Amino acid sequence: DIVMTQSPDFLPVSLGERATINCKSSQSVLYTSNSKNYLAWYQHKPGQPPKLLIYWASTRESGVPDRFSGSGSGTDFTLTINSLQAEDVAVYYCQQYKTTPHSFGQGTKLEIK
Amino acid sequence: QVQLQESGPGLVKPSETLSLTCTVSGGSVSSNYWTWIRQSPGKGLEWIGHVYYTGSTNYNPSLKSRVTISVDTSKNQFSLSLNSVTAADSAIYYCARLHNWNYYYYGLNVWGQGTTVTVSS
C-alpha cells in the first residue's frame, strides 16, 4: 500500500500570508502511461463533505480560487494557499489515486495565527 | 449537476451489519467509479473501497474481509455493506464519485453530505 505523509499536522498562518502544506508518498504516484500524477488535494470544513481542490497534483478543480495551487511530481507534493482568507480555515488532505487502496494523508489543520 | 445522497440506519448494534445506500441524481451511475470513505471521530479520512459501474470492486485490505460494495444501475444507486461491526466502525460515512474518462482519473469531485453511523447496543 502507498502511505501518504503530510507535514505539518498543524499550521497557523496570519491572514493575507502564504500557507504551504507538504505531502510525501511512499511510492511514486506518477502514472507513466499519461504522465499524470494521480495526487489530489481536498479541503474539509466541519459539517461539510470534503471538497476537491486540486487533481493531477497541479490542476485546479473548476471554481476553486486561483490562490490555491499545487505542485510536485513523483513522491513529493505541495499545496500552496496564497493570501490566506478566513474562509480557508479547514483541514487539508492529500490523496493518491494511482493504486488501491486510494490512501489519504493524515490531514493538516490550517488555522489563523 | 451530479448529486449524491447517503441513506441508512444511524445506529447499528455490535456484531451486526452496517448497510448504506448512495443515490445518484443528475447523472448516471453507469460510468465512473463510486467510492465509500469514512471519518471516525477525531480522525482523518479512510478510503473504504469503490465499485465500477460494471460491478468490479476494489477494497481497503484493512476492511476487505468485512466489506462489500455493489452497484444497482436500475436504481442509479450503489451500496456499502460492512459486517461484524464494532465501536471502531462508528464514523461519518461519505459516498463520492471518482471521476474518470478515457483512462484519465480526476479525483473525488462529487461527494454526498455524509451520514453518521454509531455502533452501540
Side-chain angles (χ1 to χ4, degrees):
Chain A
D1 297 0
I2 297 178
V3 177
M4 308 299 292
T5 304
Q6 291 181 226
S7 60
D9 292 333
F10 299 97
L11 180 60
V13 177
S14 300
L15 290 173
E17 297 299 306
R18 176 182 299 167
T20 301
I21 300 170
N22 299 301
C23 175
K24 188 174 184 66
S25 59
S26 61
Q27 302 171 34
S28 174
V29 300
L30 176 65
Y31 194 59
T32 52
S33 299
N34 58 19
S35 300
K36 300 297 187 186
N37 286 280
Y38 281 161
L39 187 285
W41 288 97
Y42 301 88
Q43 177 190 65
H44 194 192
K45 297 181 179 180
Q48 299 181 21
K51 174 186 175 183
L52 177 64
L53 297 175
I54 303 282
Y55 59 91
W56 295 345
S58 60
T59 301
R60 262 190 310 277
E61 173 74 339
S62 175
V64 173
D66 60 7
R67 65 177 182 274
F68 291 90
S69 63
S71 63
S73 183
T75 61
D76 292 276
F77 303 91
T78 300
L79 174 69
T80 301
I81 309 171
N82 287 310
S83 189
L84 188 74
Q85 307 293 303
E87 61 263 31
D88 299 333
V89 169
V91 178
Y92 291 83
Y93 294 92
C94 61
Q95 183 206 21
Q96 67 81 20
Y97 51 101
K98 176 178 182 251
T99 307
T100 58
H102 291 172
S103 42
F104 291 89
Q106 80 276 17
T108 295
K109 188 172 185 179
L110 178 60
E111 304 172 334
I112 302 297
K113 185 188 292 183
Chain B
Q1 72 279 22
V2 176
Q3 294 184 308
L4 306 180
Q5 180 65 59
E6 303 91 349
S7 58
L11 180 64
V12 182
K13 290 183 168 55
S15 79
E16 296 190 345
T17 298
L18 179 161
S19 296
L20 297 175
T21 296
C22 185
T23 300
V24 180
S25 59
S28 173
V29 78
S30 295
S31 64
N32 297 292
Y33 286 81
W34 304 96
T35 305
W36 288 97
I37 300 105
R38 70 181 183 179
Q39 183 178 34
S40 301
K43 296 193 175 181
L45 301 173
E46 179 180 24
W47 187 85
I48 298 171
H50 66 205
V51 60
Y52 194 46
Y53 74 97
T54 58
S56 172
T57 54
N58 290 99
Y59 301 127
N60 192 321
S62 67
L63 299 168
K64 190 173 183 178
S65 63
R66 299 193 292 130
V67 68
T68 302
I69 298 175
S70 59
V71 63
D72 188 333
T73 54
S74 67
K75 295 182 178 179
N76 223 32
Q77 294 175 335
F78 62 105
S79 299
L80 168 70
S81 177
L82 182 66
N83 61 36
S84 303
V85 296
T86 70
D89 295 310
S90 296
I92 300 174
Y93 286 77
Y94 296 99
C95 59
R97 180 184 78 173
L98 172 61
H99 183 45
N100 81 293
W101 180 81
N102 200 24
Y103 299 104
Y104 285 83
Y105 295 81
Y106 298 82
L108 297 166
N109 68 342
V110 181
W111 292 69
Q113 284 299 309
T115 187
T116 300
V117 178
T118 302
V119 178
S120 175
S121 55

